[in-house]
Amino acid sequence: MEPDRLNLRHLRAFCEAAALGSISRAAEQVHLSQPAVTQAIAKLETLLDAPLFERTADGLNLTESGKLFLLRAKRALGHIADGARTGGRKGSRPAENFERRVTAAQLRALLAVSKTGNFSIAARSLGMSQSALYRTARSLEKDAGVPLFEVVSQGVVLTRAAERLARHSGLAFGELAQGMEDVAARNGRDTARITLGTLPLARTYILPRAITAFLAERPDAYISVVDGPYNALLQALRHGAIDMLIGALREPGIVADIEQRTLFEDRLELVARPAHPLAGRDDLTLEDLTDYTWIVPRPGAPTRARFDEMFAGSDAPPTHIVEASSLILIRGILTESDAVALISAHQVRHEESLDILARLNFHVPSAPRRIGLSLRRGWRPTLSQKRMIELLVEAGTEVAAHYPGPY
């Protein structure tokens, strides 16, 4: 069962029973009957395949599995409460106790619309009719007491209140997925799921090295790798769609809820085919390189910014430019032409070792770039996620050792 199918009222009943040590007192707090609370806890125990409480004459005591899941359940409900506490449009306020009345089905509909920007496509992604999804989405808006959806010519956009609720809902469901994994691991079942966001610099060695080592230890684990532009991956990380982001780090403090950890420092090199006319020449200058085709990333990438800085004061900047970030494409162009590429030294490590590509004797005037991990601040990884981080750190240490000394 997926975490977004859990009954949020059952989760609240479980948390209250854990806090009060009593079914009857918990029932009073969540406004359910005692049999309903008992049934809710039983359903959770069946889902998790583990007992959450020990029933004694003095009341309820949490099992070790119960303690693990309680931590995640409380964090999940906390995210939903944080997402619900927003004023939306100026002067509007969310309905009272909205965070206690919202359902998983409503949040599931919100997330689907958020991802697709279209009621029809969102409905198909959830396997339901468009009319049913529309009713669910509008019921959420009514319960919230603030506008959540705006229909525009391109589809549907979320208001600021809806965006906040969607982000925290994604984080809440992520916590519940982690809680299910925590309990399974505690009881000897490997259900590890890790979703990694990756930028180009991490794809050639660090990530393959870490994944291979991880699967050697946990062959039954499920690993999903998501690539894309930095801003899209950052949003996915902030919404809980990915667990961590690996690649070139940005200036610290840009996003308050994201922390960055450096794995190693990388340098830029000018790379070409080994038989390039400039290969082996010393003290190359920008003037020597002007007439060649340059392969650089699209505007917005850190490497492109370095390229633009190099030629900012030049009287004759390159006029032949190919914008590309795919290493396969770059390698193909370089091996078949006299083009040159401004690229990470680490990124072409494998090609250089096989004599497919070679570095030109040109000093790229740029400071080392930090390559590392971006994580949600306050995130609590599962044991498997923590192990993946350890393996990524180990791979980064190996890369740092490969390029010793100052740049």
Side-chain angles (χ1 to χ4, degrees):
M1 182 176 183
E2 294 297 322
D4 61 358
R5 302 281 174 176
L6 287 171
N7 188 308
L8 298 183
R9 208 170 189 186
H10 290 177
L11 286 179
R12 296 187 183 95
F14 162 65
C15 291
E16 292 292 346
L20 302 172
S22 166
I23 293 290
S24 59
R25 294 169 64 189
E28 294 174 2
Q29 290 295 318
V30 296
H31 306 294
L32 292 172
S33 65
Q34 290 187 39
V37 172
T38 299
Q39 185 179 37
I41 293 173
K43 286 184 177 180
L44 284 176
E45 291 179 324
T46 299
L47 170 65
L48 296 169
D49 194 20
L52 299 176
F53 292 105
E54 293 176 347
R55 280 75 171 174
T56 69
D58 297 326
L60 300 176
N61 293 322
L62 282 168
T63 63
E64 291 303 315
S65 294
K67 292 175 183 177
L68 289 172
F69 192 69
L70 176 64
L71 174 66
R72 297 296 186 179
K74 290 170 68 174
R75 287 170 65 91
L77 294 175
H79 275 301
I80 292 173
D82 287 343
R85 282 195 289 269
T86 178
R89 289 178 177 171
K90 186 176 181 180
S92 64
R93 302 182 63 183
E96 186 176 0
N97 293 325
F98 168 54
E99 72 273 12
R100 286 186 162 270
R101 293 184 290 107
V102 67
T103 68
Q106 289 175 324
L107 298 181
R108 195 162 58 247
L110 172 66
L111 287 172
V113 175
S114 173
K115 291 176 182 177
T116 62
N118 182 284
F119 282 119
S120 177
I121 298 174
R124 287 200 298 271
S125 72
L126 295 177
M128 59 192 302
S129 68
Q130 181 177 344
S131 60
L133 180 130
Y134 186 83
R135 287 194 300 271
T136 302
R138 290 305 182 186
S139 72
L140 174 65
E141 189 172 53
K142 180 179 179 181
D143 290 344
V146 295
L148 298 179
F149 307 100
E150 293 181 358
V151 179
V152 296
S153 58
Q154 293 84 5
V156 182
V157 297
L158 272 58
T159 64
R160 289 186 62 185
E163 289 176 352
R164 178 183 174 89
L165 181 57
R167 184 168 77 85
H168 283 280
S169 297
L171 295 174
F173 292 140
E175 287 286 350
L176 294 176
Q178 289 179 293
M180 295 166 70
E181 181 181 326
D182 287 339
V183 172
R186 170 70 177 74
N187 292 282
R189 300 188 303 276
D190 192 350
T191 61
R193 296 177 65 93
I194 299 178
T195 304
L196 304 158
T198 175
L199 297 168
L201 291 181
R203 298 172 194 159
T204 53
Y205 180 78
I206 299 178
L207 199 53
R209 173 73 175 82
I211 289 176
T212 300
F214 185 86
L215 291 177
E217 299 175 0
R218 311 280 293 272
D220 294 328
Y222 177 90
I223 297 178
S224 176
V225 178
V226 181
D227 56 23
Y230 175 78
N231 287 336
L233 291 175
L234 179 64
Q235 285 300 100
L237 178 64
R238 297 184 67 230
H239 285 72
I242 60 177
D243 300 319
M244 59 194 83
L245 173 57
I246 308 99
L249 301 181
R250 268 50 176 181
E251 289 300 318
I254 292 178
V255 181
D257 57 354
I258 297 297
E259 63 174 287
Q260 300 184 133
R261 300 182 187 177
T262 301
L263 296 178
F264 70 97
E265 290 188 332
D266 186 46
R267 58 187 174 194
L268 291 175
E269 297 282 0
L270 202 58
V271 176
R273 63 189 179 93
H276 192 280
L278 299 180
R281 283 184 50 181
D282 295 329
D283 302 323
L284 293 176
T285 66
L286 287 178
E287 288 72 21
D288 295 324
L289 298 159
T290 298
D291 293 334
Y292 291 94
T293 297
W294 283 68
I295 306 175
V296 294
R298 292 174 59 83
T303 299
R304 179 56 179 267
R306 299 293 182 270
F307 170 78
D308 293 338
E309 290 169 5
M310 287 170 55
F311 290 97
S314 175
D315 294 330
T319 57
H320 306 294
I321 295 175
V322 175
E323 295 179 344
S325 58
S326 165
L327 182 57
I328 295 175
L329 176 60
I330 293 172
R331 182 175 60 195
I333 296 174
L334 292 179
T335 56
E336 297 295 329
S337 72
D338 286 337
V340 296
L342 186 63
I343 198 168
S344 156
H346 157 68
Q347 200 171 359
V348 292
R349 173 181 172 180
H350 180 67
E351 285 75 10
E352 186 182 0
S353 69
L354 297 177
D355 201 31
I356 297 173
L357 298 177
R359 304 184 215 176
L360 299 182
N361 294 321
F362 176 80
H363 174 69
V364 178
S366 64
R369 294 182 301 169
R370 296 182 305 130
I371 310 301
L373 287 168
S374 295
L375 306 169
R376 291 187 296 277
R377 199 174 297 279
W379 179 58
R380 189 184 182 96
T382 62
L383 291 176
S384 60
Q385 291 163 343
K386 184 178 180 180
R387 180 55 181 155
M388 177 59 78
I389 292 174
E390 292 172 349
L391 292 170
L392 287 167
V393 171
E394 291 177 11
T397 302
E398 292 177 16
V399 172
H402 188 74
Y403 300 112
Y407 297 132

